[in-house]
């Protein structure tokens, strides 16, 4: 049974009161977020900036990057950005290095870009590998020399609950996100002696205007309704739900948490997590 309250089209409650934020120790930290102009990536960037992080973002649309950087700067932090396709290895590594230089260092790297490779064909697998996996590898490798100098270094990759159980049939997306979780787990062990943490966030069904579930509501209303009904909390998640989890796990407040895949899905997945 759905929780009582007023809901929007995504089943998101409109009457949840905002609580008081705890001090996460993020003020003055330097953060980079890839894919930071819309949806989850945008909300992550806004949340980190709101917590006092100086920030750099990238996305393929230069106009959207410029607009987003201006809005982030209005939070009273230093904000930078650039148009970037993370499948371009040379440009990606150069942008990370330049951004860390502009920020005056780097404490937090959030790898959020995804090809959303939702089909099982070879092209989808290639796009997912180039964007989600190699795109993350590129930004991590370029960021490491700067993260090594931080006293609170953290890497966060955005995966998906689709990696954790059979979901919507055979898709490249599911396997690619599972590989991303494995990559971050390996990083956590390798980088722990240097004080660099590496974690993954796996969102469930996240609704925002123009997003996957908004489009599915229009194009596949039965599938959308079934997914919404499958949510025990009676709603889909929001980008803010994911961004708050990222802010915490990236922060000094989570300083002993590494190698974790934090599921943000309102109990959507039916499994026991060990």
């Amino acid at each position: 049974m759905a929780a009582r309250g007023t809901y929007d089209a995504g089943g998101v409650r409109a009457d949840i009161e905002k609580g008081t934020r705890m001090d996460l120790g993020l003020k003055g930290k330097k953060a980079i977020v890839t894919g930071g102009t819309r949806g989850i990536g945008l909300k992550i960037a806004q949340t980190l900036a709101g917590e006092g992080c100086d920030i750099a973002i990238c996305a393929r649309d230069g106009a959207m990057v410029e607009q987003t950087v201006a809005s982030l700067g209005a939070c009273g932090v230093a904000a930078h950005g650039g148009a970037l396709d993370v499948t371009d290895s040379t440009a990606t590594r150069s942008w990370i290095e330049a951004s860390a230089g502009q920020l005056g260092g780097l404490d937090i790297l959030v790898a959020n870009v995804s090809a959303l490779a939702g089909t099982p064909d070879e092209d989808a697998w290639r796009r997912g590998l180039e964007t989600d996996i190699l795109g993350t590898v590129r930004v991590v490798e370029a960021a490491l020399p700067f993260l090594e100098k931080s006293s609170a270094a953290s890497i966060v990759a955005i995966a998906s609950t689709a990696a954790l159980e059979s979901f919507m049939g055979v898709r490249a997306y599911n396997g690619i996100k599972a590989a991303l979780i494995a990559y971050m787990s390996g990083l956590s062990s390798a980088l722990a002696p240097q004080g660099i943490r590496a974690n993954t966030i796996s969102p469930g069904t996240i609704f925002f205007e123009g997003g996957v579930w908004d489009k599915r509501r229009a194009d596949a209303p039965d599938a959308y309704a079934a997914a919404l009904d499958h949510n025990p909390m009676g709603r889909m998640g929001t980008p803010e739900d994911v961004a708050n989890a990222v802010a915490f796990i990236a922060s000094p407040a989570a300083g002993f948490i590494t190698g974790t895949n934090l599921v943000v899905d309102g109990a959507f997945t039916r499994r026991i997590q060990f």
Side-chain angles (χ1 to χ4, degrees):
M1 178 181 294
R4 285 178 287 181
T6 303
Y7 295 80
D8 69 7
V12 178
R13 285 189 61 173
D15 59 348
I16 299 176
E17 295 183 359
K18 301 296 183 183
T20 301
R21 289 185 179 273
M22 64 181 291
D23 182 5
L24 299 176
L26 287 169
K27 187 175 179 61
K29 295 293 185 288
K30 318 296 183 181
I32 289 177
V33 180
T34 65
T37 59
R38 62 188 301 271
I40 290 172
L42 173 60
K43 184 54 68 173
I44 291 170
Q46 291 173 334
T47 300
L48 292 175
E51 292 286 345
C53 288
D54 294 327
I55 194 157
I57 64 164
C58 68
R60 289 181 294 180
D61 188 325
M64 289 188 67
V65 169
E66 186 175 342
Q67 178 181 338
T68 303
V69 166
S71 68
L72 294 172
C75 295
V77 300
H80 307 277
L84 178 69
D85 183 340
V86 297
T87 65
D88 184 329
S89 180
T90 300
T92 297
R93 295 172 192 273
S94 295
W95 182 79
I96 292 290
E97 293 170 3
S99 296
Q102 289 175 314
L103 292 169
L106 184 62
D107 303 293
I108 298 166
L109 173 67
V110 181
N112 169 68
V113 173
S114 176
L116 298 175
T119 56
D121 55 276
E122 186 173 330
D123 179 64
W125 281 99
R126 290 186 185 280
R127 287 188 290 109
L129 178 62
E130 279 292 335
T131 304
D132 299 53
I133 302 300
L134 292 179
T136 299
V137 170
R138 291 173 188 123
V139 297
V140 167
E141 290 182 348
L144 279 177
F146 303 95
L147 292 170
E148 289 169 353
K149 299 174 183 177
S150 169
S151 62
S154 175
I155 304 168
V156 182
I158 307 302
S160 170
T161 53
L164 309 180
E165 61 180 15
S166 179
F167 184 67
M168 299 191 73
V170 177
R171 303 191 304 162
Y173 181 79
N174 301 27
I176 290 294
K177 289 302 189 183
L180 184 60
I181 295 171
Y183 171 58
M184 295 299 290
S185 178
L187 280 179
S188 70
S189 297
L191 299 178
Q194 300 171 59
I196 302 173
R197 298 182 299 111
N199 294 289
T200 312
I201 301 287
S202 285
T205 53
I206 305 300
F207 183 94
F208 58 91
E209 188 173 338
V212 170
W213 287 102
D214 186 23
K215 294 176 182 176
R216 196 159 287 159
R217 179 184 60 166
D219 300 336
D222 291 342
Y224 170 84
L228 180 58
D229 186 61
H230 191 69
N231 275 272
M233 295 188 73
R235 70 174 179 96
M236 290 187 177
T238 67
E240 184 176 24
D241 290 324
V242 181
N244 286 341
V246 171
F248 167 70
I249 210 164
S251 76
F256 203 57
I257 300 176
T258 191
T260 291
N261 177 41
L262 178 58
V263 176
V264 182
D265 74 342
F268 183 85
T269 51
R270 303 293 195 265
R271 63 197 173 80
I272 298 173
Q273 183 173 351
F274 293 99

